[in-house]
RNA sequence: GCCGACGUAGCUCAGGGGUAGAGUACUUCCUUGGUAAGGAAGGGGUCACGGGUUCAAAUCCCGUCGUUGGCUCCA
């Protein structure tokens, strides 16, 4: 007589099954459709193969493509399928690791002498589809460490042997599908037949174990789907994302450019891009003025001694732009990589009282950092950029309150610009590796708890990363994704107990003795460059009216109405609204099309009717004809939109 | 910095051992047109740069620079 086990489903219902029944069988007992879609089973909180027998009473959740863990399992199994195809096509190659990633999976492979060409990917995709059609089961096998080592020694795969070294005997499993066996913890989908659509997206080099001193393997990225249609949708989405690429839109809208002669990673802002920047700067200055900041201005270079004092020279000197020497005296100056040392010296220019604190110095400071050439990317990663930087000098008791105020400012900025989808990351130091950081344990602990408390008081949802702190202090970063889903850090708030120490900053307390202030570095945009890049991708170049570099354009029906167009322009100018006139010898349809393509928010069409009635035909970008308005009426409407978006 | 790919007109791209092509943009002319492309003509490129092979290189080879997808790094 067989034993029964009790299975509890997520809805709380309980069912009895024979001991040793697997997730797939349970699914089949519920519905055929469910059985067809089950990728894995979550048994008592652990993701298992759907085909793995369940031996005791358990909580069970059947995972499908709609579950993140289901997708992960699917892609992980796809990585194995890729490996199987590769082994069939390139016998003798060696394998590193092949995990699922946010979208898809990759496998790191050592091809020996062969260099994989992008044109070979199609052949590999076909092989994968061919193998998928065989519907080979993924078979889990426990194996002893000794046997596993023997297997890979025989195969000559030093990477798998390296991985095995870190594994404990008794917990090692192999997974086998078709003719391919891989060292793997699992879990996997029931069989390869679930994989219906395959796209290998790109090839890249990747160091074994991420260590640049080890061998570089060939990393093949791919993505797979249970339905061909979903692959099509994914590819369409990628194409749409490419259209939002800030590099493309930046060129088309004439916002910025790069020049080989000027140097890589050094953006050149064109007039329209500069206007956009200036609007952002004005916006930030206004918000900061309200929050008690004072603007300061400092030079682009600073004496080497300044950075020796700050500690930056010791830490980054070798990997920075090298010092600039004076011709005769041989004094050395550095291009400033950050503004804070300068601001510390401003703080120091006179004695400070506790009554002066907090002091908040803000500067749109342009800094220069030597970024590795391979790391440069459009405006998101450059070598010269302008931070919306500020440093708050306060007494220790004020840290949390100041921190909260800065969070408010960051959230205000994000809201005004429509960034709703961001993550807030608290970066703490790596407790295992404390010597990487400057400063005492006590100071670090104080700073870290101030951040955590401030974030929680603001109700901010945060993720915490150990080891991601700056060398001088913990921080709270705001990250936003670009069009292609790559994460970028924008706003940052960082507590610093270190620089005040190094610069010997002081204030006189109410007890008439000297005390050390705490510094908070903060930049809500992060850098204007990166912010603009992400903003462009966020709105696909359709900037909110108050930011648009070209807010409106007047389109005369024919040259007969040029004079009236000029008159309208003058009226708008008087109201502080600037716009140009399209006086080209083109039909109105053409002028409208060109303005639409340039994403100009408003088109004001003026012809016989409008000139006679002293009115405008208003057309809104992306929406079309808004009908006839008086000039004053339009001005009110226009200013109303701006006022509304800035009042949020 | 490392691995791979790419570099032809302002832009998007075709071509490919025998001194360069399209569309678009630009200029001029015709047209004076009412809500997403009116017509015609014309100008414009050391085919990234430097070497090599060859009777001949934009094309093949090597190097440099730049761009790009990753990796590593990121005050």
């Amino acid at each position: 007589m067989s034993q029964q086990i009790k299975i509890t489903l997520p809805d709380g219902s309980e069912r009895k099954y024979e001991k040793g029944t697997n997730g797939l069988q349970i699914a089949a007992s519920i519905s055929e459709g469910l059985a067809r879609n089950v990728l894995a089973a979550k048994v008592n909180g652990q993701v298992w193969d759907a085909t793995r027998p369940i031996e005791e009473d358990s909580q069970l959740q059947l995972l499908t493509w709609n579950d993140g863990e289901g997708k992960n399992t699917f892609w992980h199994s796809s990585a194995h399928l890729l490996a199987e195809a590769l082994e069939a096509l390139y016998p003798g190659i060696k394998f590193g690791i092949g995990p699922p990633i946010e979208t898809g999976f990759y496998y790191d492979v050592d091809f020996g002498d062969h260099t994989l060409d992008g044109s070979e990917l199609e052949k590999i995709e076909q092989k994968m589809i061919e193998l998928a059609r065989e519907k080979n089961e993924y078979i889990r096998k426990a194996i002893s460490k000794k046997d596993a080592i023997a297997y890979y020694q025989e195969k000559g795969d030093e990477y798998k042997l390296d991985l095995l070294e870190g594994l404990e005997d008794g917990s090692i499993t192999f997974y086998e599908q078709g003719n391919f066996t891989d060292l793997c913890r699992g879990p996997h989908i029931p069989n390869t037949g679930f994989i219906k659509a395959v796209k290998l997206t790109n090839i890249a080099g990747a160091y074994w174990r991420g260590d640049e001193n080890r061998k570089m393997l060939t990393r093949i990225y791919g993505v797979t789907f249970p339905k061909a249609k979903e692959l099509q949708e994914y590819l369409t989405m990628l194409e749409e994302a490419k259209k939002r690429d800030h590099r493309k839109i930046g060129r088309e809208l004439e916002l910025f450019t790069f020049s080989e002669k000027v140097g890589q990673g050094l953006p050149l802002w064109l007039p329209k891009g500069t206007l956009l920047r200036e609007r952002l700067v004005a916006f930030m200055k206004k918000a900061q003025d309200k929050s008690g900041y004072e603007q300061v201005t400092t030079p682009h270079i600073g004496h080497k001694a300044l950075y020796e004092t700050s500690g930056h020279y010791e830490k980054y000197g070798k990997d920075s732009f090298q010092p600039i020497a004076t011709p005769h005296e041989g004094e050395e100056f550095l291009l400033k990589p950050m503004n804070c040392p300068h601001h510390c010296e401003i703080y120091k220019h006179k004695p400070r009282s506790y009554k002066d604190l907090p002091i908040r110095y803000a500067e749109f400071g342009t800094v220069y950092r030597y970024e590795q050439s391979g790391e440069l990317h459009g405006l998101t990663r450059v070598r010269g950029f302008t931070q919306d930087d500020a440093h708050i000098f306060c007494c220790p008791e004020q840290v949390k309150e100041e921190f909260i105020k800065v969070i408010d400012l960051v959230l205000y900025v994000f809201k005004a610009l429509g960034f709703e989808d961001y993550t807030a990351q608290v970066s703490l130091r790596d407790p295992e590796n404390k010597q990487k950081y400057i400063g005492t344990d006590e100071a670090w602990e104080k700073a870290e708890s101030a951040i955590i408390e401030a974030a929680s008081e603001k109700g901010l949802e945060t993720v915490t990363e150990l080891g991601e702190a700056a060398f001088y202090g913990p921080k709270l970063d705001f990250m936003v994704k670009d069009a292609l889903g790559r994460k970028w850090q924008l706003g940052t708030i960082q507590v610093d107990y270190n620089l005040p120490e190094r610069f010997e900053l002081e204030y006189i307390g109410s007890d008439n003795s000297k005390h050390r202030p705490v510094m908070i570095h903060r930049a809500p945009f992060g850098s204007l460059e990166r912010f603009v890049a992400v903003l462009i991708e966020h709105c696909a170049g359709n900037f909110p009216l108050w930011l648009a570099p070209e807010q409106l354009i007047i389109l005369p029906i024919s040259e007969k109405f040029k004079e009236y167009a000029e008159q309208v322009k003058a009226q708008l100018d008087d109201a502080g609204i600037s716009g140009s006139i399209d006086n080209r010898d083109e039909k109105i349809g053409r002028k409208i099309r060109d303005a639409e393509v340039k994403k100009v928010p408003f088109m004001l069409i003026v012809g016989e009717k409008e000139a006679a009635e002293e009115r405008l035909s208003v057309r809104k970008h992306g929406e079309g004809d808004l009908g006839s308005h008086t000039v004053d009426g339009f001005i009110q409407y226009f200013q109303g939109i701006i006022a509304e978006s800035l009042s949020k």
Side-chain angles (χ1 to χ4, degrees):
Chain A
M1 206 191 114
S2 59
Q3 277 180 279
Q4 296 263 301
I5 52 169
K6 189 172 71 183
I7 297 296
T8 310
L9 296 170
D11 64 1
S13 65
E14 290 176 0
R15 287 165 173 252
K16 298 265 190 205
Y17 291 94
E18 244 173 65
K19 186 176 175 212
T21 301
N22 66 37
L24 201 54
Q25 290 161 337
I26 294 172
S29 78
I30 296 170
S31 93
E32 203 182 307
L34 183 59
R36 266 202 307 274
N37 289 313
V38 166
L39 301 174
K42 197 168 186 177
V43 180
N44 296 327
Q46 271 194 318
V47 185
W48 278 21
D49 302 312
T51 53
R52 185 165 165 190
I54 301 171
E55 306 291 352
E56 56 194 41
D57 292 355
S58 301
Q59 299 274 342
L60 174 74
Q61 186 191 353
L62 296 164
L63 300 172
T64 67
W65 182 250
N66 294 323
D67 303 293
E69 286 162 323
K71 279 197 177 79
N72 266 345
T73 306
F74 187 86
W75 283 326
H76 186 188
S77 299
S78 301
H80 281 229
L81 182 65
L82 167 61
E84 184 184 2
L86 289 170
E87 197 167 56
L89 294 168
Y90 308 91
I93 56 172
K94 300 167 194 172
F95 294 96
I97 54 167
I101 51 177
E102 202 171 332
T103 307
F105 58 91
Y106 67 79
Y107 218 117
D108 284 346
V109 183
D110 183 350
F111 279 94
D113 296 333
H114 180 69
T115 303
L116 190 69
D117 192 84
S119 60
E120 294 169 58
L121 292 180
E122 209 170 312
K123 189 177 71 186
I124 301 168
E125 286 169 6
Q126 278 164 14
K127 187 77 189 171
M128 286 173 72
I129 290 290
E130 190 188 313
L131 292 167
R133 290 209 177 115
E134 291 178 7
K135 301 190 178 175
N136 293 315
E137 285 176 21
Y138 287 87
I139 300 161
R140 182 175 192 271
K141 285 183 178 165
I143 187 165
S144 71
K145 186 161 179 172
K146 195 174 133 234
D147 289 349
I149 290 173
Y151 177 83
Y152 281 113
Q153 267 171 349
E154 159 98 35
K155 238 181 151 186
D157 192 328
E158 66 260 35
Y159 307 105
K160 294 294 183 187
L161 288 169
D162 189 10
L163 290 173
L164 275 167
E165 261 180 48
L167 299 179
E168 216 169 289
D169 197 9
S171 67
I172 298 170
T173 49
F174 274 10
Y175 272 83
E176 196 180 302
Q177 99 267 10
N179 291 315
F180 181 73
T181 301
D182 203 353
L183 168 69
C184 183
R185 184 190 304 130
H188 284 284
I189 58 177
N191 68 66
T192 58
F194 283 75
I195 301 167
K196 304 282 194 213
V198 174
K199 178 74 189 170
L200 297 180
T201 47
N202 56 55
I203 307 174
Y207 302 108
W208 174 237
R209 305 218 138 172
D211 181 346
E212 63 181 309
N213 298 313
R214 304 213 213 192
K215 187 162 179 186
M216 183 170 278
L217 307 180
T218 304
R219 176 169 295 179
I220 303 175
Y221 284 88
V223 62
T224 50
F225 296 91
K227 287 183 191 148
K229 200 179 121 208
E230 288 174 86
L231 172 61
Q232 264 321 313
E233 284 167 4
Y234 172 74
L235 294 175
T236 308
M237 187 276 291
L238 270 191
E239 262 169 53
E240 288 302 310
K242 272 188 196 154
K243 288 184 196 160
R244 303 171 86 96
D245 191 315
H246 75 278
R247 294 166 294 186
K248 177 177 148 70
I249 291 177
R251 195 190 311 116
E252 287 167 355
L253 299 188
E254 299 188 342
L255 300 176
F256 58 87
T257 188
F258 288 89
S259 149
E260 273 189 40
K261 274 215 175 98
V262 171
Q264 61 176 172
L266 300 170
L268 302 173
W269 288 88
L270 303 174
K272 284 177 192 165
T274 302
L275 203 48
L276 177 61
R277 272 173 68 111
E278 281 174 351
R279 296 209 160 118
L280 283 168
V281 167
F283 166 75
M284 182 60 73
K285 271 190 181 156
K286 199 171 163 194
Q288 285 178 171
D289 284 350
K290 278 195 221 160
S291 311
Y293 289 81
E294 300 170 283
Q295 294 287 329
V296 295
T297 306
T298 68
H300 287 234
I301 63 174
H303 204 284
K304 187 173 144 190
L306 180 67
Y307 299 100
E308 286 170 343
T309 301
S310 71
H312 292 113
Y313 188 77
E314 187 195 4
K315 182 104 180 154
Y316 293 103
K318 280 200 195 74
D319 299 313
S320 300
F321 286 115
Q322 292 305 290
I324 306 160
T326 57
H328 307 302
E329 304 83 350
E331 269 189 292
E332 293 188 301
F333 292 83
L334 291 176
L335 274 170
K336 78 171 164 188
M338 20 183 12
N339 304 300
C340 36
H342 289 77
H343 291 184
C344 285
E345 288 301 301
I346 292 181
Y347 178 91
K348 273 188 92 165
H349 93 279
K350 67 175 188 186
R352 306 290 183 171
S353 151
Y354 73 100
K355 293 176 186 167
D356 300 329
L357 303 184
I359 289 171
R360 308 180 188 91
Y361 287 142
E363 173 175 20
F364 289 85
T366 304
V367 297
Y368 302 89
R369 296 180 187 173
Y370 176 80
E371 303 286 0
Q372 296 190 84
S373 59
E375 196 52 46
L376 300 170
H377 178 93
L379 280 186
T380 49
R381 201 61 184 274
V382 289
R383 286 178 171 171
F385 55 94
T386 303
Q387 295 177 309
D388 58 330
D389 209 359
H391 296 97
I392 299 165
F393 301 87
C394 60
C395 29
E397 309 79 67
Q398 293 169 322
V399 168
K400 202 168 100 187
E401 190 191 333
E402 285 304 307
F403 212 89
I404 286 172
K405 281 187 186 167
V406 179
I407 292 177
D408 281 333
L409 185 63
V410 173
L411 295 182
Y412 166 70
V413 168
F414 277 25
K415 197 162 182 190
L417 288 151
F419 287 133
E420 279 147 22
D421 192 18
Y422 57 85
T423 42
Q425 175 179 313
V426 176
S427 298
L428 306 179
R429 86 187 146 155
D430 178 359
E432 308 281 301
N433 208 351
K434 291 184 179 173
Q435 69 281 7
K436 258 172 67 182
Y437 308 90
I438 301 179
T440 66
D441 269 5
E442 193 202 350
W444 271 86
E445 276 152 29
K446 260 201 275 182
E448 292 187 344
S449 59
I451 291 186
I452 292 165
E453 283 168 31
S456 93
E457 271 179 43
K458 288 318 295 180
L460 210 56
E461 264 185 55
T462 56
V463 291
T464 301
E465 294 287 342
L466 296 177
E468 288 293 307
F471 77 90
Y472 52 77
K475 54 184 182 167
L476 173 62
D477 293 327
F478 293 83
M479 342 269 279
V480 176
K481 280 185 191 169
D482 72 8
L484 287 169
R486 287 175 293 217
K487 261 191 195 176
W488 296 99
Q489 179 203 307
L490 292 180
T492 181
I493 318 174
Q494 318 184 347
V495 179
D496 187 347
Y497 285 93
N498 173 55
L499 278 187
E501 199 72 40
R502 298 187 73 108
F503 278 91
E504 299 178 326
L505 305 183
E506 290 169 342
Y507 65 91
I508 310 293
S510 56
D511 58 0
N512 200 28
S513 66
K514 288 177 177 173
H515 297 271
R516 187 124 293 161
V518 181
M519 244 175 118
I520 298 172
H521 310 244
R522 43 106 280 177
F525 291 150
S527 83
L528 282 169
E529 284 70 12
R530 184 176 288 177
F531 193 83
V532 166
V534 176
L535 178 63
I536 288 172
E537 306 205 350
H538 185 74
C539 66
N542 300 307
F543 298 107
L545 184 59
W546 65 274
L547 265 181
E550 220 176 344
Q551 294 172 315
L552 65 85
I553 187 162
I554 303 168
L555 310 179
I557 297 284
S558 82
E559 73 183 38
K560 288 188 210 152
F561 311 106
K562 193 175 163 185
E563 204 175 308
Y564 180 61
E566 299 280 3
Q567 184 196 317
V568 169
K569 180 171 156 48
Q571 274 179 272
L572 293 171
D573 281 343
D574 285 345
I577 303 172
S578 64
S580 56
I581 303 175
D582 185 348
N583 269 325
R584 290 176 307 162
D585 187 8
E586 293 289 352
K587 290 197 191 175
I588 194 67
R590 178 50 176 266
K591 292 183 184 182
I592 287 171
R593 179 187 149 75
D594 289 348
E596 288 281 352
V597 168
K598 282 184 347 200
K599 303 174 191 289
V600 181
F602 284 106
M603 287 152 267
L604 306 178
I605 297 158
V606 293
E608 193 172 2
K609 218 166 53 192
E610 290 78 9
E613 300 171 3
E614 304 241 307
R615 292 174 81 90
L616 304 164
S617 273
V618 178
R619 186 188 161 100
K620 197 169 181 185
H621 168 72
E623 289 180 29
D625 197 352
L626 296 188
S628 171
H629 289 67
T630 62
V631 179
D632 284 340
F634 172 72
I635 290 172
Q636 268 193 351
Y637 170 64
F638 183 97
Q639 288 172 336
I641 293 175
I642 292 182
E644 208 218 312
S645 51
L646 289 183
S647 69
K648 278 180 199 163

